[in-house]
Amino acid sequence: MPFLFVLIWSTGFIVAKFGLPYAPPLTFLLLRFAGVLVVLLPIVLVMRAPWPFGRIWRIAIAGVLVQAGYLAGVWCAIKLGMPAGLSALIVGLQPILTAFAAPFLGESVRRRQWIGLIFGLCGVGLVVANKISLVGLSWQSIALCVFALLSITIGTLYQKRYCASFDLRTGTIIQFAASIVVVLPFAIAFEHLTPALATVQWTPRFIGALLWAILALSIGAIFLLFALIRKSAATQVTSLLYLTPPTTAVMAWVMFGEAFSVAGMLGMALAVIGVALVVRR
């Protein structure tokens, strides 16, 4: 399960590379969120999946933080000129922040795990080092990326503490419906969103990216993330995100011919060792 989660989650930046040239970021995310509802609602109705009455608001809050806040922050930052490597490094601080907040969940982080977290962060830094550029950087893009980091960190901790267990089908519908409500006004205000979706170019590449974002990322990867949050300590789960930049770098090398340096390979090894130290029982 962790391996599959990392593999699918790592395609997020690839999807952004394919999809963002053809649609504004918030509009793309709204189509992605709506697509999840179109897929899951019939399944929920046919299978009569149970609704988590009494916890709907908490599940919705966690969803807004993990889905709307994180994705909108990262994608808008990249659209404003934030280099993908730098955004990956900033968001890569999440496992460290989660470890500091572990006592809030009644969890403890051992010395070996702290060493693993530091190894992982250094590994991520080496992987993205040659892709970090300050060209086009603005305080707005930095603020959005930091907002995304805080949003997914707080969202993961909140869900782990207050609503770790729920039916994945109905819970996911609640989270993405809440995310639509939050993102929609911003898309209308800043991206001139209209019912005709005039700002979207429906190219085969965009449609493919959107379908992958809906089925693989927003359903497949999120189901796996929720399952991991339910069964594992928060620090162990978030440490897996250290493996995302190295995996994405390999994908970009295979698909787009992007350079993959010796430092990047060393960084990948450090990230793997770091995660192993964190998750080893």
Side-chain angles (χ1 to χ4, degrees):
M1 190 187 299
F3 172 78
L4 186 60
F5 166 72
V6 169
L7 191 63
I8 299 175
W9 191 266
S10 298
T11 63
F13 283 105
I14 305 297
V15 166
K17 191 177 183 73
F18 274 114
L20 285 184
Y22 306 104
L26 298 181
T27 300
F28 187 106
L29 289 177
L30 282 173
L31 291 171
R32 174 175 170 175
F33 298 162
V36 174
L37 301 187
V38 170
V39 172
L40 287 184
L41 267 175
I43 295 174
V44 166
L45 294 175
V46 169
M47 301 183 70
R48 298 182 180 179
W51 291 90
F53 295 110
R55 292 179 296 161
I56 289 178
W57 281 107
R58 286 184 170 179
I59 293 172
I61 290 171
V64 168
L65 291 168
V66 173
Q67 307 298 339
Y70 168 66
L71 291 172
V74 171
W75 283 34
C76 289
I78 292 175
K79 192 71 173 181
L80 289 176
M82 167 74 74
L86 184 56
S87 65
L89 186 58
I90 292 175
V91 177
L93 294 172
Q94 185 197 350
I96 297 287
L97 293 184
T98 303
F100 277 114
F104 175 72
L105 300 174
E107 300 174 2
S108 60
V109 182
R110 296 187 293 276
R111 181 181 300 177
R112 168 176 53 79
Q113 291 179 306
W114 278 112
I115 294 173
L117 290 169
I118 294 171
F119 271 31
L121 184 60
C122 292
V124 170
L126 287 173
V127 169
V128 304
N130 65 329
K131 300 181 181 181
I132 293 178
S133 170
L134 300 183
V135 176
L137 200 62
S138 64
W139 70 266
Q140 293 95 333
S141 62
I142 295 174
L144 283 167
C145 220
V146 172
F147 171 77
L149 165 65
L150 295 176
S151 185
I152 192 171
T153 303
I154 295 171
T156 302
L157 293 169
Y158 183 90
Q159 181 163 321
K160 176 67 178 178
R161 176 159 184 174
Y162 294 110
C163 50
S165 298
F166 53 81
D167 186 281
L168 293 179
R169 297 159 297 181
T170 52
T172 301
I173 287 176
I174 292 168
Q175 294 203 339
F176 280 101
S179 296
I180 289 174
V181 172
V182 171
V183 172
L184 182 59
F186 291 97
I188 294 173
F190 295 106
E191 297 180 354
H192 309 292
L193 176 68
T194 64
L197 298 173
T199 56
V200 178
Q201 301 177 48
W202 295 95
T203 65
R205 177 173 286 199
F206 174 77
I207 294 172
L210 180 60
L211 289 175
W212 181 264
I214 292 169
L215 299 174
L217 286 167
S218 292
I219 295 179
I222 292 300
F223 273 32
L224 290 170
L225 175 63
F226 290 172
L228 289 167
I229 289 175
R230 182 181 300 174
K231 67 179 292 188
S232 305
T235 303
Q236 292 178 322
V237 174
T238 55
S239 71
L240 295 173
L241 299 181
Y242 278 150
L243 301 179
T244 299
T247 307
T248 302
V250 172
M251 291 178 178
W253 171 61
V254 172
M255 298 178 68
F256 308 116
E258 293 187 8
F260 196 69
S261 63
V262 174
M265 290 186 280
L266 177 60
M268 178 180 288
L270 271 178
V272 171
I273 293 171
V275 173
L277 289 171
V278 174
V279 302
R280 193 184 71 189
R281 297 185 183 278

